[in-house]
């Protein structure tokens, strides 16, 4: 690539006459509309808008220096990490007592939701912050806090507020509470579970339901969210194989939060994958296993967190995410540290393998 120039994507609304095309422009049926090197005129731009072309690649002078992709940790991030760790430790203590006394400390956990988790939900950049604090140890406690926070964020996107939102967050926090009744040698096994062990692990939904059903004042939405969060829209889930509207709304929300967090987390037997890859999984499952309406709201909003992420590409280079396109954010446009602009939707030979800084 010539170091004097770079090819940069521009939304059509930002294109002005006199700009030079860095790549040819194709119609939606892949016919050439304008060739590379064309100097755009007002009439050409009007034509691009008429043909509903949303993005063009412009050739422009580039800085002499390479792009510095380092981002210092901010004061807000440091505070989030400290508050997050404190919240995980509080939950760990509550679950440890629950394992031995088999009583859900509902008042303590409601206080945890209001005083510790709610500030995390309302923190600017919360989804990105959580991605950067993943820990392999104490997975269950980190995962429970993460799912509660994601449920809170998604719940707000869905219009939940007040007590209903608090109950949803509590359901997310307690979705795996039944695992406190699973033997530790199975829960902490450093490898894949046998079919028999997996059957026992699947009982955590029933165990959680039984714990909460015997807890005075436990909200019904929380009880059903815990029982049904592994049910799937097409009836392929567990423990009751119910489908569609028979699955409580809280459980459908938790299912998406659970998948997103589990796949983007490091575990003993599973390395995390990038949130961009998880988006593809959710898109694939959104119209059979997951609630499509909730999935669409989640994906259309979570994408806003991805712009500006520093990522590692499959060829080892670092790059910054600069543009997400019109639909889901799984294969964005990135700019590498050596100033190459790459549209991953067009260049299928490259992919994002890791988020270095969110």
């Amino acid at each position: 690539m010539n170091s004097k120039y770079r090819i940069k994507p521009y939304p059509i609304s930002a294109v002005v006459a006199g700009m030079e095309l860095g790549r040819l422009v194709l119609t939606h049926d892949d016919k050439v509309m304008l060739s590379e090197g064309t100097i755009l005129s007002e009439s050409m731009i009007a034509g691009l808008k008429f043909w509903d072309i949303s993005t063009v690649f412009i050739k422009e002078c580039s800085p002499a220096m390479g792009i510095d992709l380092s981002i210092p940790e901010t004061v807000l991030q440091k505070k989030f990490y400290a508050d997050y760790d404190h919240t995980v430790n509080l939950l760990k203590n509550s679950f440890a007592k629950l394992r031995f006394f088999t009583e859900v400390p509902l008042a303590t956990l409601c206080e945890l939701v209001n005083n510790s988790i709610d500030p995390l939900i309302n923190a600017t950049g919360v989804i990105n912050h959580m991605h950067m604090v993943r820990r392999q140890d104490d997975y269950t406690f980190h995962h429970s806090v993460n799912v509660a926070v994601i449920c809170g964020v998604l719940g707000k996107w869905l219009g939940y507020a007040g007590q209903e939102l608090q109950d949803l967050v509590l359901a997310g926090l307690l979705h795996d509470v039944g695992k406190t009744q699973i033997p530790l040698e199975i829960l902490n096994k450093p490898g894949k579970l046998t079919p028999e062990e997996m059957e026992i692990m699947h009982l955590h939904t029933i165990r959680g339901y039984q714990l909460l059903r015997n807890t005075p004042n436990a909200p019904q939405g929380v009880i059903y969210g815990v029982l049904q969060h592994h049910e799937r829209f097409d009836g392929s889930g567990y423990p009751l194989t119910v489908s569609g509207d028979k699955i409580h709304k809280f459980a459908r929300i938790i299912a998406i939060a659970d998948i997103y967090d589990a796949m983007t987390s490091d575990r003993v037997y599973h390395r995390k994958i990038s949130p961009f890859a998880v988006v593809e999984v959710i898109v694939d499952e959104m119209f059979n296993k997951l609630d499509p309406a909730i999935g669409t709201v989640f994906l259309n909003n979570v994408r806003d967190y991805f712009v500006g992420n520093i990522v590692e590409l499959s060829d080892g280079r670092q790059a910054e995410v600069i543009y997400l396109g019109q639909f889901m954010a799984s294969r964005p446009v990135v700019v590498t540290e050596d100033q190459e602009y790459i549209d991953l939707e067009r260049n299928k030979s490259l992919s994002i393998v890791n988020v270095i800084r969110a």
Side-chain angles (χ1 to χ4, degrees):
M1 185 175 178
N2 191 324
S3 60
K4 292 183 180 180
Y5 299 98
R6 62 182 178 185
I7 309 300
K8 182 177 178 181
Y10 272 74
I12 194 65
S13 59
V15 175
V16 296
M19 286 183 168
E20 180 182 350
L21 284 177
R23 293 184 188 170
L24 52 79
V25 178
L26 301 176
T27 61
H28 294 298
D29 56 355
D30 290 332
K31 293 178 181 177
V32 176
M33 183 181 298
L34 293 172
S35 60
E36 179 181 336
T38 299
I39 305 299
L40 293 172
S41 65
E42 293 287 0
S43 59
M44 289 176 183
I45 295 169
L48 292 171
K49 291 177 180 177
F50 176 80
W51 287 103
D52 205 23
I53 302 297
S54 60
T55 305
V56 294
F57 286 81
I58 299 297
K59 183 179 180 181
E60 61 183 22
C61 293
S62 63
M65 300 293 290
I67 298 172
D68 181 8
L69 298 180
S70 63
I71 301 176
E73 200 171 88
T74 66
V75 173
L76 286 176
Q77 284 174 318
K78 290 177 180 177
K79 183 181 186 310
F80 182 94
Y81 300 152
D83 292 345
Y84 175 93
D85 286 341
H86 179 65
T87 304
V88 169
N89 287 330
L90 290 174
L91 183 68
K92 186 176 179 180
N93 291 335
S94 292
F95 273 26
K97 293 175 184 175
L98 206 163
R99 176 171 286 276
F100 291 103
F101 296 110
T102 64
E103 291 181 3
V104 178
L106 191 64
T108 300
L109 292 168
C110 286
E111 188 176 325
L112 186 67
V113 167
N114 292 329
N115 296 339
S116 298
I117 295 179
D118 189 60
L120 298 178
I121 292 169
N122 291 304
T124 303
V126 53
I127 299 293
N128 285 334
H129 295 336
M130 280 199 307
H131 189 75
M132 300 311 297
V133 296
R134 301 308 167 101
R135 308 280 177 81
Q136 185 168 301
D137 57 324
D138 293 336
Y139 169 77
T140 298
F141 311 114
H142 285 271
H143 178 61
S144 295
V145 170
N146 291 353
V147 169
V149 172
I150 295 170
C151 281
V153 173
L154 177 52
K156 288 172 70 174
W157 291 338
L158 291 165
Y160 285 60
Q163 190 60 52
E164 188 177 35
L165 181 62
Q166 289 181 10
D167 288 350
L168 171 61
V169 174
L170 181 62
L173 186 66
L174 289 173
H175 80 286
D176 275 347
V177 69
K179 288 184 178 178
T180 62
Q181 308 306 303
I182 301 297
L184 287 173
E185 59 269 23
I186 294 178
L187 191 63
N188 298 328
K189 183 178 177 180
K192 276 202 146 185
L193 300 179
T194 66
E196 294 77 16
E197 291 169 336
M198 186 62 75
E199 195 171 326
I200 293 171
M201 183 67 87
H202 281 183
L203 292 174
H204 79 274
T205 54
I206 298 288
R207 297 282 186 265
Y209 169 75
Q210 292 169 337
L211 284 170
L212 285 165
R213 189 183 58 182
N214 295 323
T215 301
N217 302 316
Q220 284 295 106
V222 175
I223 294 172
Y224 283 105
V226 169
L227 175 67
Q228 296 184 322
H229 69 275
H230 279 293
E231 301 289 2
R232 293 297 176 257
F233 228 52
D234 61 359
S236 63
Y238 67 88
L240 304 176
T241 65
V242 294
S243 61
D245 290 340
K246 292 180 181 177
I247 305 170
H248 193 279
K249 197 77 171 279
F250 282 10
R252 290 182 247 163
I253 294 170
I254 294 169
I256 290 173
D258 185 30
I259 289 171
Y260 181 83
D261 184 69
M263 295 187 71
T264 55
S265 295
D266 275 330
R267 302 165 75 172
V268 174
Y269 56 89
H270 167 81
R271 296 297 295 172
K272 68 181 179 182
I273 62 177
S274 81
F276 301 92
V278 179
V279 163
E280 292 190 30
V281 173
I282 293 176
V283 169
D284 287 343
E285 297 195 347
M286 202 166 69
F287 297 101
N288 51 13
K289 296 183 181 298
L290 303 174
D291 184 316
I294 296 172
T296 299
V297 169
F298 177 73
L299 294 175
N300 282 341
N301 284 276
V302 80
R303 54 178 278 140
D304 294 340
Y305 288 88
F306 294 164
V307 173
N309 280 189
I310 307 302
V311 298
E312 180 185 351
L313 301 179
S314 52
D315 64 1
R317 285 184 293 173
Q318 292 186 20
E320 179 181 358
V321 176
I322 59 170
Y323 181 71
L324 295 172
Q326 289 184 322
F327 188 49
M328 305 308 179
S330 57
R331 298 191 65 83
V333 176
V334 300
V335 56
T336 66
E337 52 199 333
D338 54 354
Q339 302 180 77
E340 182 181 357
Y341 286 78
I342 304 170
D343 183 348
L344 296 175
E345 192 59 53
R346 289 175 176 267
N347 188 343
K348 301 289 189 180
S349 66
L350 288 174
S351 61
I352 294 171
V353 297
N354 189 26
V355 175
I356 296 170
R357 177 73 72 184

